[in-house]
Amino acid sequence: MSDVQAVIIGGGAMGVSLLYHLVKSGWYDCVLVEKNDLTHGSTWHAAGLCTHFAHNPTIQELRATSVRLYRDILPQETGQSCGFHRSGAMRVTRNPERMDEFRHVAGLSEFTGYPLEIIDRARIAELHPLAKLDGLLGGIFEPDDGHVDPSLATNAMGQVAVRHGAVIQRYNPVHAIRREGDRWIVETARGTLSAVHLVNAAGTWGFEIGRMMGVNVPSVPVLHQYLVTDTIPEIAARQKAGAPELPIIRDPEESWYLRQERDGFILGPYERQAQVWSVDGVPPAFGAELMPPDLERVEHIIEMAMARVPAIGNGGVKTVINGPITFTPDANPLIGPAHGVPNAWLLTGSSMGVMEGGGAGKFLAHWMTHGAPLMDALAVDPRRFGAWADRDYRVAKAIECFGLQFGVHYPFEERPAARNVRMSALHDLMVERGAVMGAPHASERPNWFSTKPQDVTQDSFRRTNWFEAVAREIDAVQNRVALADLSVFSKFEVSGADTLRFLDCLGANRPPKPGRVGLTHVLTPAGGVASEFTIAVLSEGHAYLTSAAASEEMDLDVLTARASGYDVKIINQTDALSVIGLMGPRSIDVLRSISDDDFGSWLSVQSMNIAGVSARVLRVSYVGELGFELHLPRADAARVFLALESAGKPFSIGHYGAYAANSMRLEKGYRAWGYDLTTERSPLENGLAPLVKTEGREFIGRDAMLAKPRPWDMVLLTIDTAEDIEPFYSHAVFAGGKPVGVVTSGAYCHRVKQSLALAFLRDAEARTGLTVKMLGREFTARILGAAPYDAANGRMKV
């Protein structure tokens, strides 16, 4: 048996990139095992497109890092080209909503440093003279995009890794995986490996390797076709005249991409109804094989592409590639720790393995070697999916994602596939009252309440159909009383003799005293915010923690890992308990009419009898009004909700959803985990110094937080917006014509009648003359010195 630091399973672009970056980080004792040869699976038949276009800064950085690696770094290290062509790329559209999407991505890219150009019809004609302009409004141009030879790039990374001492074992399939003590035992055809770390980078086989590891990997192979043409006379003529390579062109409305391949084209269509393949297990003998062509499935898309670029029809079809690529339920890769299993990592599930592989390997290598990711990992962390992402869910979502590969990604998008997977005990009552539902972490919750039967959200980058409904909900919360279903919270019980000692070492803040409620932020080893917990201490040996819906698996992992060595027990109560929010100045009157118990003071927790049901009541409010959270067994939730609703009728009780809550919390300057609070920034950079208590305390990330330079500063902005444009996230902030920050969350706030946004500024001197660019327009912004709504918290303390 060979002892190594890490075993990587899978020799595609992702796995080999990780091996390369691990040795670059000083982990030389690593082995990559591959059942066939490098690139077999999906890498070898990839079209090799590389782009900087992305809606998320982390995804964009993965892609930009890949470009730098393939274009510059690997050729310098190996003395050989990776076949990278800096052709540039454009996306064209006839859809006004798509132009808004392009403007939003271009704005974000100004902040990240990868500027993209919004283009008009004349510029499209200049860049791609073979394209017709019929019906087009414009597009976006990505000057540094291109394409790479996937095999050359992958083998170049492998060559450098082996040169530094890593081992690549080709034609060595994995037969079994088990855990022995603190080691991973990997049985292969050539022998047994013992490793501290195990990485599933198996791509097409990621699901099967996940089963061996005891990990759910929610990825599905989907067949994707593209065709390669023979010589196109127009391209041959351009080459003869010395013209540059044509840029890649994508028409997302028609769902195809087109790039020059020597003197011909590669045309890649994405049909709306995907064809999944080998969902329950890829055939063991499958390697570098392809499926038979099935062009009838995409014939209509090919015809649309030929109408846009007629030259396509002047060359015959030389080759048709029809092979599997993997899709996750949200089309983002799985990069990070596997849930509930120590030192197990995922680097798989990417439908853009070559495009993202170079950066993905660097991202995970840093996480493994430093204990924290380079950037915010929420978009790629595998633990964004739970056990609920079963076969039916992953198949339905993979089909949806493939069909919407070129879909418009709206800021409040709620896609329809695989819904009603996790429903609270109040779900049907919410729908009966007009709730338009969302599904964070697959948990159905009201986004807003409509007065029209079967109403739906009209997606847009601008003010949409829920604006007035949210105003009504906020009015009820501010002036009367309103109910909310808050059951999506993640919920954990901590009990045992060491409960208070454990909580004191858990995060940046001290735990509250028994009977009180507090907030703490758990840090990464690098000092960033890993988790945010509301802590209710019930007694010296019992506490109750709640956190964001999407953080359930991540927070359970954090609590479990940090509890090592303490006499405490952690129980996940997320599905067992319901939470009812009762908010507004008449909330005490409602409770008083159905309970004789004491209501407690602000930030207190007590057990109350409400309509004959024992409930754990936290006097806390995320919306800036007097309010209560009622935590109670799922079976009792509907009964208590109806009792509260009945008791609230004399006060004209209403209901509110997540969109209203988001607007109200911004008026208080409250940060939201996953948007404003991420692993990239510390609580001090987030403006949360009052919640940081370091004196006489030791906790993970403490020293890194204190030693970390603090160029970043979170501020609350008021923005002078236009009537139909409101902030949401990822807008660039400018000062003196230069990008100095980025919006992390925003909304129109009805109580103060202002558009507000939380933003990070990276320039300590940039405090005046600020603007925020939204959808291509700059709007004046000012920093607020205090929360614009009830800064002294008087309304919550009544």
Side-chain angles (χ1 to χ4, degrees), residues 34 440 703:
E34 162 58 46
D703 294 343

Side-chain angles (χ1 to χ4, degrees), residues 352-430:
M352 308 286 178
V354 176
M355 181 186 295
E356 296 167 350
K362 181 177 181 180
F363 190 89
L364 185 57
H366 189 278
W367 203 339
M368 293 173 66
T369 57
H370 290 75
L374 272 166
M375 296 179 67
D376 174 32
L378 186 58
V380 298
D381 193 315
R383 298 168 297 176
R384 67 190 187 274
F385 302 112
W388 42 264
D390 59 11
R391 185 189 193 279
D392 290 346
Y393 183 90
R394 61 190 175 93
V395 169
K397 296 300 284 185
I399 291 172
E400 179 182 63
C401 284
F402 187 94
L404 293 175
Q405 180 73 359
F406 287 124
V408 178
H409 294 278
Y410 291 101
F412 301 100
E413 184 178 30
E414 296 282 357
R415 291 185 171 181
R419 294 297 295 268
N420 297 332
V421 172
R422 305 177 79 188
M423 294 188 290
S424 85
L426 305 176
H427 175 270
D428 292 350
L429 293 174
M430 295 294 101

Side-chain angles (χ1 to χ4, degrees), residues 234-494:
E234 291 86 343
I235 295 180
R238 286 176 55 84
Q239 289 179 326
K240 186 175 181 180
E245 182 176 335
L246 288 167
I248 300 163
I249 184 171
R250 297 173 175 89
D251 189 320
E253 267 58 64
E254 297 178 354
S255 200
W256 53 264
Y257 63 82
L258 182 75
R259 80 160 174 87
Q260 184 176 327
E261 172 68 3
R262 298 184 175 87
D263 59 1
F265 278 127
I266 284 179
L267 172 60
Y270 278 89
E271 62 265 44
R272 300 300 183 189
Q273 190 63 31
Q275 184 176 357
V276 298
W277 177 78
S278 297
V279 172
D280 298 310
V282 177
F286 182 79
E289 291 80 29
L290 294 171
M291 307 300 118
D294 189 10
L295 291 182
E296 287 187 6
R297 294 178 59 87
V298 294
E299 185 176 7
H300 62 294
I301 304 176
I302 294 172
E303 290 174 353
M304 288 189 287
M306 291 173 64
R308 178 64 62 203
V309 185
I312 299 171
N314 297 332
V317 176
K318 181 166 61 177
T319 307
V320 176
I321 305 296
N322 186 13
I325 57 177
T326 54
F327 270 80
T328 64
D330 61 5
N332 282 347
L334 305 169
I335 308 173
H339 170 55
V341 188
N343 291 335
W345 305 84
L346 300 185
L347 183 63
T348 189
S350 177
S351 60
M352 308 286 178
V354 176
M355 181 186 295
E356 296 167 350
K362 181 177 181 180
F363 190 89
L364 185 57
H366 189 278
W367 203 339
M368 293 173 66
T369 57
H370 290 75
L374 272 166
M375 296 179 67
D376 174 32
L378 186 58
V380 298
D381 193 315
R383 298 168 297 176
R384 67 190 187 274
F385 302 112
W388 42 264
D390 59 11
R391 185 189 193 279
D392 290 346
Y393 183 90
R394 61 190 175 93
V395 169
K397 296 300 284 185
I399 291 172
E400 179 182 63
C401 284
F402 187 94
L404 293 175
Q405 180 73 359
F406 287 124
V408 178
H409 294 278
Y410 291 101
F412 301 100
E413 184 178 30
E414 296 282 357
R415 291 185 171 181
R419 294 297 295 268
N420 297 332
V421 172
R422 305 177 79 188
M423 294 188 290
S424 85
L426 305 176
H427 175 270
D428 292 350
L429 293 174
M430 295 294 101
V431 173
E432 289 172 8
R433 284 147 182 79
V436 180
M437 306 296 282
H441 209 51
S443 295
E444 298 288 325
R445 63 101 192 266
N447 280 340
W448 59 284
F449 287 83
S450 174
T451 57
K452 301 175 183 178
Q454 298 179 325
D455 205 354
V456 296
T457 297
Q458 296 171 6
D459 286 324
S460 177
F461 285 85
R462 298 168 186 258
R463 186 175 291 179
T464 185
N465 64 322
W466 45 262
F467 182 83
E468 295 299 335
V470 166
R472 290 193 298 271
E473 295 168 35
I474 292 173
D475 178 70
V477 174
Q478 180 184 18
N479 297 309
R480 303 187 307 279
V481 60
L483 290 164
D485 182 4
L486 306 179
S487 302
V488 295
F489 287 162
S490 300
K491 317 169 195 77
F492 308 95
E493 304 273 358
V494 179

Side-chain angles (χ1 to χ4, degrees), residues 13 78 233 263 306 334 365 392 482 523 602 640 670 713 740 767 777:
T78 65
D263 59 1
M306 291 173 64
L334 305 169
D392 290 346
L523 307 187
W602 183 46
V640 170
Y670 293 159
D713 183 25
V740 296
R767 291 295 181 272
R777 297 173 58 185

